[in-house]
Amino acid sequence: MSIDRREFLKFAGASTLLGLGGITAVQELLKTSAGASHVMVDEKALSAKRWAMVIDISKFKTEADYKNVVQACHSIHNVPDIGNPKDEVKWIWTDTYEHTFPGQGNEYMPEGLKHKPFLLLCNHCEQPPCVRVCPTKATFKRKDGIVMMDQHRCIGCRFCMAACPFGARSFNWRDPRPFIKEQNPEYPTRTMGVVEKCTFCFERLAKGLQPACVEKSNGGLIFGDLSDPNSEVRKVLSTHYSIRRKPEIGTQPSVYYIIGGSENA
Amino acid sequence: MYNSGKIITGLIIFVGLVATPFFYNSGKTSVKPEPGIDTPAIRQLAEKQCVEPREFMKANHMQLLNDWRDSAVRDGSRIYVNSQGKQFTISLQNTCMHCHSNKAEFCDKCHTYANVKPYCWNCHIAPKENKT
Amino acid sequence: MLEKALTGSKKYWVWIFFLLALIGIGVINYLRQFSYGLGITGMSRDVSWGFYISQFTFLVGVAASAVMLVIPYYLHDFKKFGKIVILGEFLAVASVSMCMLFIFVDMGQPMRIMNVILHPTPNSILFWDAIVLNGYLFLNIIVGWTTLGADRKGVPPSAWVKPLIYLSIPWAISIHTVTAFLYAGLPGRHFWLTAVMAARFLASAFASGPSLLIILCLIVRKVSKFDPGKEPIQALGKIVTYAMFANVFLLGLEFFTAFYSNIPGHMHPFHYLYAGLEGHAKLVPLMWASSILAVVALILLINPNMRKNENILAFTCASVFISLWIDKGFGLVIGGFVPNPFEGVTEYWPTLPEALISLAVWCIGFLILTILYKIAVTVREETSSWPELH
């Protein structure tokens, strides 16, 4: 068969268009050769329509209560301890009431509460601004409500950091590996130049485990399905007054705080 | 010919530049690499097969890893059922590298030969015994 | 026509090699950033965008301002701009190139930049910004090049260029509107969450771009035999006057809304920028310099006698440009990050490598500008003896 120049150009143009759409001939061949294979979710995996967390701050009494929770998360996820606030990476951390709930405090509130540390982490918002702005879908919302990061795809534009109203996102300003004291060989580290944050321990949920922080919180953190009226989170929320961070901007955080009454004073 | 000196010099420089890869590699022996599959975990396998047959893995492991990555991270499906119906947990560090604990002998050998530099290891942690 | 950039006076080559040297220094620093990471800059977890992104933001405005020549010339048949429209279009090409480079050097994973195309995400404003910037670059290259080529041969430009010229008008507005939306659509950043952001961006663009263009026209007149003419420069001066007034007015609106409403979140960034917050006041001298320059420029612009004196006009335009460069090319972006989401203050200042990389991007822009202007000016010099075309 011989083709003239015109036909060749047509063919080349058409294959380029197909290639841009991701349907190259090579890919098609590859797909068919392991045809019988498929993927599925682990039977043990925990599932939900909308994962949520309740932080019962009255259960956190000593410094160790907080430390255990933060340590549990940061050690299994290979979160580096860079030691300066400029390059800092953190998934779950503590701050004061005033910083956690800006504008919601007053000078006459209980002294104990004023200086009590609050736990902060990604809120896994129902309307996440970070997902809205990401130009590559590197951050996206899963069906179960988890706001997930795909570090393979992140180009490091940091639009999500500008968009997050809760300061939940950290950027790898430099190679994090030298700052990880003990690597957990079962979980990856991150590379320089990508954004990271709490993922509600998606990798543990897939194996049927609760998030690491919840496990180490002695009941201070309650995790469950917000859409299930019989779940523990719903029970706790229906019997206690709870607040969320910056509710006025409409992101609908999935992390709730129970401040507790006089026992905090 | 008009400007022949300039043209010929230019041509020589051009050919020289284009041929640099040949000069660069000339004199280097290039033995076809054989990836090592002798690891304690593989020795204990009754049937020595990866998640798919050897030939398939040889040709398509990069595509399979890409698919695994998307299915685990983006879709949350972490179980791979292969063409023979056997199940595997989708995980580079915990499944692939459990057997292939010899990254230098297994991964690097061919990748170095083919001069491909996958960035897997910028994040994923290679098994301990292979730290170089 | 490109060959016209290959011959020039000694001064021309000194300038070219000066730019190349600075670009070289920047490239070395970029390689350092590439291997160390963006931690080499002054940016931090709290101020996650810095000098790079603010320069990008400012330069989108300069690029968009070409439309201030295109609209009068092509829509209102204002013939006096005929000779200098090309200078506006080529300024747009150089500016958009700088914009793209500034985005590129700001990427944490620059090798993955094609992900924006491979995984198109229409809900992201950054995706649209990539599209409109690329489109605007191509429009201006094509329009500028073909019209100049036609001019050189003494024939009117081909008919197919006309639709592209008209398209470039809304397109110019779109690049700066979309860039404003990068900021104005973020729920947690009070300083940016304002409906007049896009309007402010356009006003400042139409002041800063034409200011630079006036200065460039005066330089072109000095270094070449091509004279852009007194009248086009005066017309540009009027555009700068109106735009600068609109810009200052819009900034005033922001002040009113923040301080009359008395909402703390809205006032804090202004406090930080103009007075300092919790003892942090790194940007205060700069912001005041910007304000003073703006007022001085406005006084000189509004007075027609001052504007008509080209020496004073040059000074005024420099004031406008520097004032807006500080305000939009620095304060606007940093102010959005201070205070941070926890009402804490983390300050930002660019580091030396960051400054050198930014300088190199500017130099690449000026290199492109020099080459394009050299071509345009040489063509104009050749055709100036011919009778008027249009």
Side-chain angles (χ1 to χ4, degrees), chain C residues 352-372:
Chain C
L352 184 64
E354 193 177 6
L356 290 172
I357 293 169
S358 304
L359 182 66
V361 174
W362 274 93
C363 287
I364 294 174
F366 273 105
L367 185 67
I368 296 172
L369 190 75
T370 306
I371 291 169
L372 291 175

Side-chain angles (χ1 to χ4, degrees), chain C residues 29-61:
Chain C
N29 279 282
Y30 181 73
L31 291 175
R32 280 177 62 202
Q33 177 187 303
F34 191 81
S35 64
Y36 180 90
L38 280 163
I40 207 168
T41 68
M43 291 184 270
S44 60
R45 196 180 187 279
D46 285 333
V47 185
S48 46
W49 280 342
F51 205 60
Y52 297 149
I53 289 295
S54 40
Q55 294 304 291
F56 148 77
T57 308
F58 175 74
L59 284 163
V60 175

